[in-house]
Amino acid sequence: MAVPCSLSAKFKGSFAYFTVKDRLPQILTRVIDTVHRNKSKFLEEYGEEGMEAEKKAIAAFSKLRNELQTDKAVLLLTDPLPDTELWNQYLEYQQTLLSAEEQPSWFTSPWLYVECYMYRRIHEGIVLSPPICSFDVFKEGKDESFFQSQQAISALCTFFQELAKEIKDRSEEQVKEAFFKLLQVSLWGNKCDLSISSGEDNSQKCSPLNSLAALQPCILVDDSECLWSILSHSRKTSNCKESVTRIDVVLDNAGFELVTDLVLADFLLTSKLATEIHFHGKCIPWFVSDTTKSDFRWTIQQLRAANHRWMSKCGNNWDGNLKKQVWVYHDHLFWTLPYEFCEMAQVAPDLYTELQKSDLVLFKGDLNYRKLTGDRKWDFTVPFSQALNRFHPAPLCSIRTLKADIQVGLKSGQGEQLTSSEPTWMTSGKYGVIQFSALA
Ligand code: F6P
Ligand code: MG
């Protein structure tokens, strides 16, 4: 079994140095600034208590930033949330991996763990600062990124609605071509994540459809044909009224990426490649731009209210899909725990059972890829199904742009060649994969 990526190991590389020394503290600095800028809003809503809460939250985040920058010990959580116990047990487990004199600290613990832990501590800082405990410190950035992508969103909605009008008359080959296009739009939508840019604008400015052909060589593993064969098979057998084809989408970022996922989901229903779509989002604000229930609702509401015919048509249809329950939104606290997905069956058996009902699970984004593969230093040629380490609730596919230095399932020599020609290929977000696994 490959070893987990730890911060100390990563410190030796320039990317990790940048991540730890700059990116995470930068994110905390932005969080502090956001809370501070909302001071008058808190005053208006809660009076003096709101002012006190602002001070308390800022003090918690400043302390957290100091702990992180000076490699202090990882501390137990102290809030009363339902996952606190699980987080604290996880810390105790990390302790068992060290000698009695050592304590898990920010630089020496596995990167996946401490990065998740930082976001959970941010949430703790807010939860322990009543009455502002439901304030989403990342909301402004997520909304801004949605508004910055208006042109791309309107182009995508227009493309989709024109396609949807004629879908019944399209040949099998044309439906397949459209599916591949929308899958790729959803893949490249994953470039728009705000944690990689420390919260700076990273939105999609122009139509995503025009650049698909040029981006094709950047897809390092493209298993789109495998997805098509599963879905087209169900489409052919779907004449029977009772038959259900369920696709689950484990969402990643709000903003443009979420719109690309919703368009793909709409296409799957409209083209009868699926009959039900189940979305999985985060219970708490996470990795700056990840989708929460409130972001999901907000996005659909924004589209409904848009002053653009095709955008509002999309928004109204999506709202209708939720009402008809052909789209179902789920959240589960497992998605914001530090566990690798191979531990899901044990830690969250209810979620594992839910995913087992699916015909295909699509995992969006880089963090999901890290959790699927255990964030380990795998050789590039290790098969994806092996790196999943027996996590296999259903056939699954990762749709991800590369932002962390993990990649499996490449052809022999492919990774080495990229490393010598483009040293940052694993972390720049330029490359992507549509990587499928049918087997345990
Ligand atoms: O690159 C920084 C980072 O926080 C990674 O650790 C993480 O995998 C990624 O950003 C999040 O990306 P995504 O939104 O695609 O999951
Ligand atoms: Mg994300």
Side-chain angles (χ1 to χ4, degrees):
M1 171 60 94
V3 293
C5 301
S6 80
L7 282 177
S8 51
K10 288 196 157 252
F11 245 121
K12 292 174 195 137
S14 55
F15 168 66
Y17 187 80
F18 173 67
T19 303
V20 182
K21 280 284 194 204
D22 299 317
R23 195 177 293 158
L24 298 189
Q26 262 176 28
I27 288 168
L28 282 168
T29 303
R30 275 185 172 259
V31 167
I32 293 171
D33 179 58
T34 304
V35 173
H36 186 62
R37 277 187 296 97
N38 279 274
K39 197 174 174 173
S40 44
K41 178 183 152 199
F42 301 146
L43 178 67
E44 238 169 71
E45 278 179 35
Y46 310 107
E48 270 311 304
E49 267 189 276
M51 304 291 278
E52 286 309 310
E54 180 251 11
K55 277 197 212 112
K56 196 171 176 194
I58 289 183
F61 300 142
S62 307
K63 178 173 174 291
L64 176 59
R65 186 175 52 185
N66 177 267
E67 287 170 27
L68 190 162
Q69 284 178 310
T70 55
D71 190 25
K72 293 282 185 307
V74 174
L75 304 176
L76 292 169
L77 295 176
T78 58
D79 60 41
L81 296 187
D83 62 345
T84 306
E85 187 62 31
L86 281 167
W87 273 97
N88 290 344
Q89 280 168 13
Y90 198 92
L91 174 57
E92 277 160 24
Y93 161 71
Q94 290 295 321
Q95 179 70 68
T96 64
L97 305 177
L98 303 171
S99 68
E101 312 82 66
E102 285 175 302
Q103 267 189 302
S105 78
W106 284 84
F107 295 179
T108 55
S109 302
W111 183 33
L112 179 63
Y113 170 45
V114 283
E115 210 180 0
C116 291
Y117 174 78
M118 181 188 84
Y119 289 97
R120 182 58 180 80
R121 280 283 301 275
I122 292 176
H123 192 57
E124 179 191 53
I126 286 291
V127 167
L128 294 180
S129 306
I132 63 164
C133 18
S134 55
F135 181 70
D136 178 348
V137 294
F138 301 125
K139 174 90 179 123
E140 278 178 10
K142 288 184 273 193
D143 293 359
E144 219 170 278
S145 137
F146 173 87
F147 291 123
Q148 305 273 10
S149 315
Q150 287 302 287
Q151 218 186 314
I153 293 175
S154 63
L156 181 59
C157 292
T158 306
F159 169 82
F160 173 67
Q161 289 302 340
E162 276 164 7
L163 177 72
K165 261 193 283 179
E166 296 158 12
I167 199 83
K168 280 196 228 88
D169 310 322
R170 300 265 169 140
S171 67
E172 174 99 350
E173 214 29 57
Q174 286 170 322
V175 174
K176 179 177 174 185
E177 196 189 305
F179 171 59
F180 284 7
K181 263 195 185 158
L182 293 175
L183 198 57
Q184 287 172 28
V185 169
S186 166
L187 166 66
W188 299 121
N190 181 243
K191 278 188 181 191
C192 307
D193 121 64
L194 296 175
S195 69
I196 198 164
S197 60
S198 311
E200 292 269 341
D201 174 28
N202 194 16
S203 52
Q204 174 78 31
K205 302 285 183 313
C206 52
S207 170
L209 292 145
N210 301 338
S211 37
L212 294 183
L215 289 171
Q216 184 73 48
C218 296
I219 307 182
L220 302 178
V221 179
D222 187 355
D223 292 333
S224 306
E225 288 284 352
C226 303
L227 303 189
W228 176 253
S229 70
I230 293 188
L231 299 176
S232 60
H233 178 75
S234 349
R235 188 176 189 230
K236 278 179 204 138
T237 52
S238 74
N239 293 335
C240 149
K241 252 194 159 195
E242 247 78 297
S243 95
V244 171
T245 304
R246 167 173 167 167
I247 299 185
D248 284 57
V249 185
V250 182
L251 295 168
D252 187 6
N253 304 301
F256 181 67
E257 180 173 0
L258 177 59
V259 177
T260 66
D261 298 336
L262 296 174
V263 168
L264 176 64
D266 195 348
F267 174 76
L268 291 168
L269 286 189
T270 311
S271 59
K272 298 197 165 41
L273 290 168
T275 56
E276 274 176 24
I277 313 284
H278 292 248
F279 298 97
H280 301 264
K282 306 293 192 296
C283 294
I284 62 172
W286 194 246
F287 276 70
V288 188
S289 40
D290 283 17
T291 306
T292 62
K293 190 179 204 164
S294 140
D295 300 322
F296 188 83
R297 287 202 184 128
W298 182 89
T299 305
I300 294 181
Q301 213 32 54
Q302 286 301 314
L303 281 152
R304 290 185 72 191
N307 190 14
H308 181 283
R309 184 176 172 200
W310 301 125
M311 280 167 76
S312 64
K313 180 144 177 44
C314 281
N316 287 327
N317 288 351
W318 299 347
D319 188 52
N321 287 343
L322 289 166
K323 289 193 175 117
K324 283 184 265 169
Q325 295 182 354
V326 285
W327 278 12
V328 183
Y329 183 89
H330 304 252
D331 49 21
H332 194 289
L333 56 77
F334 180 81
W335 302 118
T336 49
L337 290 173
Y339 292 100
E340 304 165 22
F341 291 163
C342 65
E343 292 164 303
M344 184 191 288
Q346 227 188 328
V347 179
D350 56 332
L351 178 59
Y352 194 83
T353 308
E354 190 58 45
L355 294 184
Q356 282 180 311
K357 297 176 194 160
S358 189
D359 292 288
L360 174 66
V361 188
L362 304 177
F363 286 90
K364 289 297 314 281
D366 193 59
L367 178 62
N368 278 330
Y369 194 82
R370 291 171 62 195
K371 288 187 164 188
L372 283 165
T373 56
D375 213 29
R376 314 241 151 192
K377 293 178 174 298
W378 297 108
D379 286 341
F380 296 134
T381 51
V382 163
F384 184 40
S385 54
Q386 184 185 330
L388 290 170
N389 195 17
R390 294 188 297 274
F391 173 67
H392 220 280
L396 62 88
C397 181
S398 162
I399 302 171
R400 162 245 186 179
T401 57
L402 280 64
K403 299 172 214 156
D405 43 8
I406 295 137
Q407 184 56 53
V408 295
L410 296 187
K411 294 193 196 90
S412 167
Q414 195 182 2
E416 290 72 9
Q417 203 190 334
L418 280 159
T419 306
S420 69
S421 58
E422 266 183 77
T424 61
W425 68 279
M426 299 183 87
T427 52
S428 60
K430 172 179 167 185
Y431 291 95
V433 293
I434 298 174
Q435 196 160 23
F436 174 74
S437 172
L439 297 166

